[in-house]
Amino acid sequence: MTDLTLEEKASLTSGSDTWHTTPVGEAVPALTLSDGPHGLRRQAEQGDALGLGNSVPATCFPPAVALGSSWDAHLAHRVGAALAREACALGVDVVLGPGVNIKRSPLCGRNFEYFSEDPHLTGVMGAAVVTGIQSLGVGACVKHFAVNNQETDRMRVSADVDEQSLREIYLPAFERIVREAKPYTVMCSYNRINGVHASQNRWLLTEVLREEWGFDGLVMSDWGAVNDRVAALEAGLDLEMPPTGTDEEIVEAVRSGRLPEAVLDLAAGRLLELVRRVEGRASFEGWDLDAHHELAREAARAAAVLLKNDGDVLPLRQGQRVAVVGELARTPRYQGGGSSHVVPTRLDNAWEALGRPAFAAGYRLDGQPDAGLSREAVAAASAADVTLVFLGLPEAAESEGFDRTTIELPAVQVALLREVAEVCPKIVVVLANGGVVSVAEWQEHASAILEGWLLGQAGGSALADLLTGAHSPSGRLTETIPNRLADVPSHLHFPGGDGHVRYGEGRYVGYRHYDTLDADVAYPFGHGLTYSRFTYSDLDARETGSDEWSVEVTVTNTGERFAHEVVQLYVAFDEERPSRPRHELRGFAKVGLEPGDSERVRFALSGRDIAQWSVSRKGWRIDAGSFTVEVGASSRDIRLRAELTSRGDGYAAPLDRMSTLGEWLAHPEGSRALKQLLQGAPGLDRTDPALLRLAMGIPLAKFATFGIGLTSEVVDGLVAAVRGDG
Ligand code: BGC
């Protein structure tokens, strides 16, 4: 560091252009950064951030909405490693992904880039992608840190969220990834968090990220997220991307004493450390296009979710007359719009992959009615035993940069479905959408629904693999499909206005809301069918150490085909009046089994899995008492349960004058001191129960006002006694 001038150090803390860091002489090369997250968007030299669609071809793997639905961390790791191989071949040092924001609302335009409404699942899948990317020495960039859950006003809006929800919902995925996968870089988000821009939020970028979680990498800005470079550096942001040409401001701030040089040294040092880390990355001439396409197909196959399959209409049978209806079968929607847009190396469509059966486009993608097209579709469906109806959201409906306002499919598509359902007895709907779409209005017209999300460049052939039964579906929902938009917990608080979005639903995001209230949903979190059946048996849950438990269960394939089951583990708190989400996902395992085969699945739980964030303690709190472990096939399909007990962490909040009588009595030393004082006074147990209940909520200091002999001095004495300073 000492051999760098002030100007050189300042230059290291911003890029040299849209996709490169700044080189210094021979010793410090420029690093190349590229989107991310599900394929490389490597632009020609000097590319501009908005030059979407003109990057060099790269494999378009399934976006996170789909990869997440595979519930397969090993697969996610392999996809990450394939991304790294392409990055190496394209000279990319850091891949700008994965995106691990929580799906707070189905309306978020960027939900296709995120994994789930659940932080555990998001964290596990995100960590797997990071370790995959970094397995070849390429850096990953976990984004968008943090609380970037909407696109509306994303560069200014303040996400106003309470600390407990931050800690339990919005931060844990980042935390897991930082602790377990050690990403080289993190990208801060555009938005403000409780009023402070992420890019200059010291609490977020330094206290939480580095001091608590031990992050030792580099924090870069989202593209254009810096508003005040000096404040950003002081908060812990190391690299401004792309450059705004303000390095001189940094130099001047150091010279004038406004910015300690040590702060600049830290940031520049982290850039140098990143250069050192990626120095050893592998380098390849190219990659095996076929092998990566095949991996994209495997991942897509693992991602599609079979929501419904009445009468086992799927898989298709030999000899059936099949019609394919819907432009999306021929012109697939396989990725989302915005910075993650990849130019694929090739593109499969389902219609061709199915061997070009009878086809009718049925509707226009621009949503304009076209009676001719629907007539042709009805004719094709009338001549078929089974009609595959491909429906979904057109490209213009969802993208980075804006949010949706509805979760309905285009009206022309729903109208078409109704028409073809009248003439063909067996309808299979195949969906293509990045954000959840409602099925409630039309699902009665379909015997089967295969939710295909956005499946990447090999999605078409993957769908054919599943429809024909060459493979069994194995995806599971990573987000609840609600009956109506109005049922969504954030509905009244999304996307906010006047510069603020209030996270009024708190921790009750997704199934944490629906399941706590036992509210009806179209399809629950974790749901997904396949072509076989599984039973669960021999649940064994036991304590293995101090606040450590093991959970084991046997899963058996009792059907006739090889298939996968996703075994889900929830910890549950059955409270009459809920004070926390009724249950939360804490483990999952995807197992592939031949008919008749069984596997013993094992999970480990720790205190953190049952902990809640305590605002007063500024830390995690583990209560003593019992809790339930639930093992099942979705959040609403729990097969086995067992009760466990925690001794708790023994923490008792310190007592003071304003602690209530109830709090004093619940506190071990407090109750001892109080009972000693009250010796001889009428027993608490003989007090009128209603009066006692009333008294329990009164701060001790307030009893002095009621003239029952407990003076202010006595209360002070009690406080001093329990604190050990009396
Ligand atoms: C997006 C990031 C992306 C960056 C560079 C931003 O608009 O939010 O996810 O990595 O652009 O393209």
Side-chain angles (χ1 to χ4, degrees):
M1 191 65 62
T2 44
D3 46 1
L4 291 178
T5 65
L6 192 53
E7 285 75 8
E8 285 169 338
K9 287 191 281 192
S11 76
L12 289 177
T13 66
S14 74
S16 57
D17 63 36
T18 311
W19 302 114
H20 296 96
T21 62
T22 303
V24 176
E26 294 281 286
V28 186
L31 300 182
T32 302
L33 322 174
S34 175
D35 286 308
H38 48 263
L40 272 294
R41 185 166 72 92
R42 172 80 158 101
Q43 287 188 263
E45 295 305 310
Q46 308 300 322
D48 67 288
L50 292 177
L52 306 173
N54 65 2
S55 50
V56 299
T59 311
C60 181
F61 290 99
V65 60
L67 191 58
S69 303
S70 75
W71 294 62
D72 185 340
H74 181 60
L75 178 66
H77 178 93
R78 288 168 57 216
V79 168
L83 286 171
R85 182 167 272 271
E86 296 191 18
C88 292
L90 296 173
V92 170
D93 300 298
V94 177
V95 176
L96 304 178
V100 298
N101 296 96
I102 294 296
K103 301 190 198 214
R104 174 179 176 239
S105 162
L107 297 177
C108 173
R110 236 176 151 175
N111 272 358
F112 69 90
E113 275 189 74
Y114 302 140
F115 291 104
S116 175
E117 68 188 20
D118 179 80
H120 177 85
L121 179 57
T122 299
V124 171
M125 297 302 286
V129 171
V130 169
T131 55
I133 291 175
Q134 297 194 166
S135 63
L136 294 178
V138 175
C141 182
V142 183
K143 64 189 188 184
H144 309 87
F145 191 53
V147 210
N148 181 181
N149 311 100
Q150 67 185 53
E151 293 299 283
T152 306
D153 205 19
R154 67 172 165 160
M155 296 199 174
R156 300 181 306 179
V157 74
S158 173
D160 296 339
V161 50
D162 67 274
E163 198 181 325
Q164 192 174 33
S165 307
L166 273 175
R167 294 294 190 154
E168 295 184 20
I169 304 291
Y170 296 103
L171 296 182
F174 289 101
E175 179 180 0
R176 175 182 291 274
I177 295 168
V178 164
R179 288 188 194 273
E180 292 180 4
K182 308 209 177 310
Y184 292 178
T185 73
V186 163
M187 183 189 291
C188 82
S189 57
Y190 286 121
N191 51 288
R192 291 180 291 152
I193 297 152
N194 293 325
V196 184
H197 271 289
S199 59
Q200 53 200 64
N201 196 318
R202 197 188 137 75
W203 170 78
L204 185 72
L205 302 184
T206 296
E207 289 173 31
V208 173
L209 180 65
R210 295 184 193 281
E211 294 170 7
E212 274 185 40
W213 302 346
F215 178 66
D216 64 356
L218 169 137
V219 180
M220 71 180 78
S221 70
D222 197 345
W223 267 229
V226 173
N227 301 290
D228 176 336
R229 277 198 67 196
V230 173
L233 274 172
E234 281 187 312
L237 184 113
D238 307 306
L239 176 66
E240 178 199 49
M241 289 302 297
T244 50
T246 49
D247 292 349
E248 194 46 45
E249 228 177 78
I250 304 297
V251 172
E252 191 279 322
V254 172
R255 291 223 166 97
S256 66
R258 201 155 55 94
L259 177 70
E261 190 163 355
V263 171
L264 178 61
D265 286 352
L266 262 182
R270 290 185 189 126
L271 191 282
L272 295 178
E273 173 62 11
L274 178 63
V275 170
R276 197 196 56 72
R277 281 183 169 169
V278 299
E279 224 166 41
R281 76 159 165 77
S283 94
F284 302 108
E285 276 305 305
W287 66 89
D288 184 336
L289 294 182
D290 293 338
H292 282 204
H293 186 75
E294 202 40 52
L295 176 60
R297 179 173 176 171
E298 182 189 339
R301 235 170 13 222
V305 182
L306 183 61
L307 295 177
K308 156 176 186 178
N309 193 18
D310 291 353
D312 288 339
V313 63
L314 285 178
L316 300 171
R317 317 268 191 291
Q318 286 289 335
Q320 274 176 327
R321 290 172 305 161
V322 175
V324 170
V325 163
E327 184 57 52
L328 286 164
R330 184 172 63 175
T331 312
R333 193 141 170 266
Y334 60 100
Q335 65 174 327
S339 62
S340 67
H341 199 275
V342 176
V343 174
T345 60
R346 66 183 68 153
L347 182 58
D348 297 346
N349 74 60
W351 173 60
E352 279 180 13
L354 285 164
R356 298 173 168 246
F359 174 78
Y363 53 80
R364 285 169 50 153
L365 285 173
D366 65 8
Q368 293 303 313
D370 188 323
L373 288 183
S374 41
R375 262 197 308 276
E376 281 167 28
V378 169
S382 330
D385 301 318
V386 188
T387 303
L388 308 176
V389 186
F390 284 72
L391 305 177
L393 297 177
E395 227 160 65
E398 54 179 350
S399 161
E400 175 178 344
F402 62 87
D403 295 317
R404 286 187 295 163
T405 53
T406 161
I407 57 169
E408 302 305 324
L409 283 173
V412 290
Q413 295 188 20
V414 177
L416 173 80
L417 173 64
R418 290 208 166 93
E419 285 183 61
V420 294
E422 274 182 20
V423 298
C424 181
K426 289 183 178 162
I427 299 286
V428 174
V429 167
V430 182
L431 290 172
N433 47 290
V436 153
V437 293
S438 167
V439 299
E441 288 294 308
W442 52 261
Q443 67 161 329
E444 66 192 275
H445 303 296
S447 303
I449 305 175
L450 184 60
E451 171 55 272
W453 307 118
L454 306 178
L455 288 177
Q457 68 179 47
S461 44
L463 286 171
D465 291 341
L466 299 174
L467 293 165
T468 58
H471 291 264
S472 299
S474 68
R476 301 289 186 268
L477 290 179
T478 67
E479 52 192 311
T480 311
I481 303 184
N483 279 321
R484 314 174 302 158
L485 181 58
D487 294 344
V488 171
S490 61
H491 188 57
L492 295 178
H493 312 282
F494 185 97
D498 211 8
H500 291 263
V501 50
R502 201 169 72 78
Y503 282 40
E505 72 286 358
R507 297 180 284 175
Y508 297 91
V509 175
Y511 71 87
R512 285 168 168 77
H513 166 87
Y514 303 111
D515 291 359
T516 304
L517 297 184
D518 202 14
D520 274 349
V521 299
Y523 291 102
F525 176 82
H527 169 78
L529 304 174
T530 185
Y531 300 150
S532 200
R533 288 176 306 282
F534 293 86
T535 58
Y536 291 59
S537 59
D538 302 317
L539 177 64
D540 177 26
R542 62 178 66 190
E543 193 172 347
T544 50
S546 167
D547 274 347
E548 283 177 7
W549 304 271
S550 72
V551 180
E552 295 187 9
V553 67
T554 299
V555 189
T556 306
N557 182 348
T558 54
E560 274 94 53
R561 284 164 175 266
F562 174 86
H564 289 87
E565 177 70 340
V566 177
V567 183
Q568 300 162 40
L569 171 73
Y570 297 84
V571 298
F573 303 89
D574 292 304
E575 300 168 314
E576 208 176 312
R577 199 177 175 291
S579 67
R580 65 191 299 178
R582 206 198 73 72
H583 61 180
E584 301 188 84
L585 183 78
R586 289 295 183 245
F588 61 91
K590 189 169 194 172
V591 287
L593 290 173
E594 294 290 349
D597 279 1
S598 296
E599 190 168 321
R600 194 85 178 135
V601 178
R602 295 183 174 80
F603 302 100
L605 287 174
S606 70
R608 173 69 188 267
D609 291 315
I610 57 165
Q612 299 188 80
W613 183 262
S614 161
V615 175
S616 62
R617 187 181 183 180
K618 295 218 160 303
W620 296 98
R621 188 187 85 207
I622 305 171
D623 294 334
S626 66
F627 64 96
T628 305
V629 289
E630 301 177 333
V631 178
S634 86
S635 81
R636 293 280 174 101
D637 183 7
I638 300 301
R639 304 288 179 84
L640 296 169
R641 290 185 164 79
E643 200 164 289
L644 287 171
T645 309
S646 163
R647 275 184 282 278
D649 57 15
Y651 175 75
L655 295 170
D656 61 22
R657 290 169 54 82
M658 287 301 280
S659 302
T660 63
L661 177 61
E663 286 161 0
W664 275 84
L665 289 173
H667 191 284
E669 281 132 52
S671 70
R672 218 173 302 130
L674 199 60
K675 281 181 181 154
Q676 210 169 15
L677 180 83
L678 294 176
Q679 254 171 20
L684 280 175
D685 47 347
R686 288 202 301 281
T687 310
D688 167 8
L691 192 62
L692 188 60
R693 215 166 146 189
L694 179 154
M696 285 295 189
I698 299 179
L700 219 54
K702 296 291 171 190
F703 282 99
T705 359
F706 298 137
I708 55 167
L710 202 62
T711 63
S712 205
E713 292 70 32
V714 171
V715 172
D716 284 341
L718 278 171
V719 171
V722 295
R723 288 197 176 163
D725 53 0

